[in-house]
Amino acid sequence: DVEYVVVDTATKLWLMSRNALRERIQDTVPKEQQGDRLKRLEYEAPNSEFHAIVEAAKAAKKNLVFVAHEGEVWLGGEPTGRPKPDGWSEIQDEADVILRFTIKERRPVGTLKKGDLDLVDKEIREPTMAGIEALLEAANKIRKAGGSVPENPEMVIQTAMFA
């Protein structure tokens, strides 16, 4: 039974979706009308396609994982230095959990950027899907038992055993 559907990378899927739209318009709309129509539809159709992917995963009760390249947040035409997933701009709104992956001491590290508020900005060493899911479930179990979630993610699962 499939638990996870992984799109690797969502950044490339977003570009493919936008390029496919341009091609459909070029094939069906007279050249002199393409500019206005393309501008209007450039994001509308790909956004609808991505929303359909998210809704299909929810309907099928599957965990949908978008792997995205990293982009940068821009405000007022200026880069902020803050990272964000590149591609579909609504990914941050649609996602329940966002992890930013880096390498430290030659090992993968995931930093929770959205999800369980007690764990945001905490580093998870050598994360796996099952490990992240267990960590989030453990944090919920601790809170439901009236406890507070430890600062150290490695202690969360151990603490949950006694909650």
Side-chain angles (χ1 to χ4, degrees):
D1 189 34
V2 175
E3 290 183 51
Y4 297 94
V5 176
V6 180
V7 177
D8 186 0
T9 72
T11 305
K12 287 185 180 179
L13 182 60
W14 175 249
L15 290 174
M16 286 174 24
S17 180
R18 290 185 55 214
N19 288 338
L21 170 72
R22 281 190 199 103
E23 190 172 314
R24 288 191 303 263
I25 289 175
Q26 288 170 353
D27 288 347
T28 60
V29 177
K31 197 170 200 151
E32 60 275 359
Q33 296 175 4
Q34 286 181 13
D36 293 338
R37 183 123 187 231
L38 185 58
K39 286 178 186 173
R40 193 173 70 246
L41 295 175
E42 187 173 10
Y43 294 98
E44 186 178 303
N47 276 335
S48 294
E49 291 171 357
F50 267 68
H51 282 289
I53 292 168
V54 170
E55 291 306 315
K58 286 180 185 176
K61 297 185 183 343
K62 303 298 177 195
N63 294 305
L64 178 61
V65 178
F66 282 129
V67 177
H69 294 284
E70 191 169 274
E72 185 172 4
V73 175
W74 284 63
L75 291 175
E78 297 292 321
T80 63
R82 291 191 339 251
K84 70 168 187 70
D86 194 23
W88 186 40
S89 63
E90 296 179 36
I91 198 168
Q92 294 188 108
D93 297 328
E94 290 290 335
D96 293 326
V97 175
I98 294 178
L99 287 164
R100 179 175 186 237
F101 288 92
T102 55
I103 302 291
K104 288 193 177 177
E105 299 170 4
R106 299 174 54 138
R107 300 206 182 272
V109 175
T111 304
L112 195 67
K113 298 315 260 177
K114 180 180 177 183
D116 189 294
L117 293 179
D118 289 321
L119 298 173
V120 166
D121 290 330
K122 303 295 187 271
E123 292 185 349
I124 304 161
R125 297 177 191 269
E126 300 187 45
T128 63
M129 297 238 203
I132 292 165
E133 193 170 355
L135 178 65
L136 296 172
E137 287 175 4
N140 281 332
K141 182 178 178 185
I142 292 167
R143 271 193 298 282
K144 284 180 183 176
S148 60
V149 177
E151 286 283 316
N152 181 345
E154 293 169 8
M155 294 298 298
V156 174
I157 294 175
Q158 292 175 11
T159 302
M161 288 184 209
F162 302 105

